[in-house]
Amino acid sequence: MRKIILDEKDMPRAWYNIQADMPNPLPPPLNPATGEPITPDMLSPIFPMNLIEQEVSTERWIDIPEEVLERLLMWRPSPLCRATSLEKFLGTPAHIYYKNEGMSPPGSHKPNTAIAQAYYNKVAGIKRLTTETGAGQWGSALAFACNQFGLELKVYMVRVSYNQKPYRRMMMEAWGGKCIPSPSPDTNAGRKYLEENPDHTGSLGIAISEAIEDAVTSKDTKYALGSVLNHVMMHQTIIGLEAQKQLAIAGEYPDVVIGCAGGGSNLAGISFPFICDKIHGKDVRIVASEPTSCPSLTKGGYVYDFGDTAQMTPLLPMCSIGHGFIPAPIHAGGLRYHGMAPLVSKLFMDGLIEAKAYNQLETFAAGIIFARTEGFIPAPETNHAIACAIDEAKKAKEEGRERVILMNFSGQGIIDLPSYDAYMSGKLQDYALPNEEIQKLLKELEQYPKPR
Amino acid sequence: MRKIILDEKDMPRAWYNIQADMPNPLPPPLNPATGEPITPDMLSPIFPMNLIEQEVSTERWIDIPEEVLERLLMWRPSPLCRATSLEKFLGTPAHIYYKNEGMSPPGSHKPNTAIAQAYYNKVAGIKRLTTETGAGQWGSALAFACNQFGLELKVYMVRVSYNQKPYRRMMMEAWGGKCIPSPSPDTNAGRKYLEENPDHTGSLGIAISEAIEDAVTSKDTKYALGSVLNHVMMHQTIIGLEAQKQLAIAGEYPDVVIGCAGGGSNLAGISFPFICDKIHGKDVRIVASEPTSCPSLTKGGYVYDFGDTAQMTPLLPMCSIGHGFIPAPIHAGGLRYHGMAPLVSKLFMDGLIEAKAYNQLETFAAGIIFARTEGFIPAPETNHAIACAIDEAKKAKEEGRERVILMNFSGQGIIDLPSYDAYMSGKLQDYALPNEEIQKLLKELEQYPKPR
């Protein structure tokens, strides 16, 4: 069997909330002004109460509403594919499975939470959402989702990406979303930066400031985030829940589950249901694959840090290399984030998740191997998971063991073809963070509050 | 049920050859020099004998080889989706189904035949293929297929497209294909045009000349074509064969089957199995949807014409507006072809296929409606099928009838997003061929030989 397709009727009907099973509870987010825990009502100007409730819930299962399910069925259950051609190429006895999240309309796993968030805002009476986007994966997923529920959307896209990556902007507009370059003249924050420099190329921090300012100052408007938060991780667990059922059909159970990790949402999505098994005694390894240029798990500290460079968010208990860090311009834009989702960070600190870092060139080499065996061209982020899966498959070969590897194919790379072009013509480089710089960053982190 | 997925074990095991069932036999291709029918051995410098045998076969079923099947299973059986959101938007009692061929690695139906052709060349001992490509859909599908079977590939891409559409070239290279702008300095034909004009923007005719010259003058090399020929139509019938099984699962049978039509391969793919039913008494309509700017079925004549502008091919019995016609620069590049596949043309002349023509703007309007209901962004070619399906659904609404509409979603439009951008910013125009020009073209066709 090359693909294991789940019947629509076997689609999971509830999301898995790992907060019900964690060996140690998640430290709360803190108010940076007071150092006191954030209460739900403090988040209410930004998010609707139904999502805030999910954020703090410790219920194990949360039902997926019918209207969300109906939209997820547009492309879900996603195929679980056996990478037989890749296995043959590697000469490995390992069985490699990949969960293909690239089949969604915007081409990544992001709509799993975008659809849910748009729905919950809709039923809370919200008419309009704002968000920021870097490379544009999240902005396009939210544009698709808002269109499905008749919500208006305004996306603040980092100006340098807006100019360099017009396809993502066009995709948002095809779904009726509004996308403008940030800094923009539409907010106080944006105007301030534009006054300083009319050609300001922007940053994710500035775009977040603009999106939040817009949300809190506009009527019937809230803000939406595509990663990091607990409810986002939970919405993504449908990936792993489907994969569990699909592997059961194949009569297999994974020895190792792999996802690339930027903010943490696709890793959480594929792995949390398996971490539940692990907590209850199953022998399964979970590996996060991150870039050496932005190594929040492998090299960062576990601290209370801001979620954004502009220091607008609460303090979050994260593995971080510091909110002031500006990652090198690797093509895996979705992995250029200084911190890691609090849930993923805590599970990493508790030894339930391992992490490995990869250089840009070896991830593209892995991506080309994948495209030339399995056919699908992966997103640059996904290439990090593939590089890690290939390493695991080689280890299985050395050991002569029939290891079962499950990997999240988080997105397809058609819009990212220019990065492959650059790789193949020798124009890409590695940006592994030098040790001295890591030491400097860790020193700075020492003054941050410590989660307990 | 939103999607009907076929089990891998229920995947069709043979292609359907409509030549076994046609009410009137297909007129043979002619040698332009002698006016005599072309014999199989005259095609052997260009194609391997196993494909030539398929070209002339009248066997009803031809087994799909195991190695081809294994590759098709990478993305097949493709989903049959019920367009419930589109139905609701239109307020139609019709049931609209679309067969999603956009899920293949290159994003269109083209690899269905590319995989088969690469395989048959491989087993015939061929080491290298050549082809031409316009917008690049065919070139990228063949690059994917050649990579799967370890064949070298050289694609001659019309220079203006090569410069304007770099993503397709990058896709070919990601799969290891070689893609160069045509006219190129690598062939006599190319050098001739470059001497006349070093900045020559190229044409599909020139690219065909280069690819064929390369194939006949190089060792172990053949040429491959992505549409028009009988064996290409046959390889695509897997689309309709799957759809028949999927509709049976849904307990439905189509009143109308719709495909866009350029060379004819995706229309043939979805419709030929249903035309077989029709020949045997079933009440089903087949509609080809073509552009008003290149209306070979709705306005052309049924004549013996060259398949290419450079007059290198045999004379083919086609509905054509003449091989000298240069279609307007509509974004549906795959529909900019002067003729129609001989099989589709003959079935059209025998009244088994209807045809309707659409203007560019109304097809993009249909594409936006589709993207904003069903989520997936269609290729500009596919928008022609969608415009036609929407018309049929509106007719069903007027008549208050529960019509079942089956449409081929021939490809996704992510690489074509700039055309949507142009549409949404009011920069697209219609190019309906004026009546006087059609009369002039038809007059010229009068001197062409007539098929009997």
Side-chain angles (χ1 to χ4, degrees), chain A residues 2-3 5 8 70 73-74 76 103 147-148 167 169 173-176 371-375 417 421, chain B residues 2-3 5 8 70 73-74 76 103 147-148 167 169 173-176 371-375 417 421:
Chain A
R2 190 129 196 178
K3 290 186 308 304
I5 308 282
E8 288 197 0
E70 197 188 303
L73 286 172
M74 295 167 83
R76 307 205 70 84
M103 295 298 193
N147 168 238
Q148 281 292 316
Y167 278 59
R169 188 255 307 156
E173 290 171 350
W175 284 312
R372 293 188 182 176
T373 50
E374 296 300 312
L417 277 165
D421 193 45
Chain B
R2 190 130 197 178
K3 291 187 306 307
I5 306 282
E8 289 197 359
E70 196 188 303
L73 286 172
M74 295 167 83
R76 304 205 74 84
M103 295 297 194
N147 167 238
Q148 280 292 316
Y167 279 57
R169 188 256 305 158
E173 290 171 349
W175 283 312
R372 293 187 182 177
T373 49
E374 296 301 312
L417 277 165
D421 193 45

Side-chain angles (χ1 to χ4, degrees), chain B residues 11 19 35 46 67 100 153 158 169 211 318 320 344 350 423:
Chain B
M11 171 110 161
Q19 293 196 66
I46 303 181
E67 284 195 68
N100 193 343
L153 172 67
V158 178
R169 188 256 305 158
M318 301 199 291
S320 174
V344 172
D350 286 346
Y423 170 71

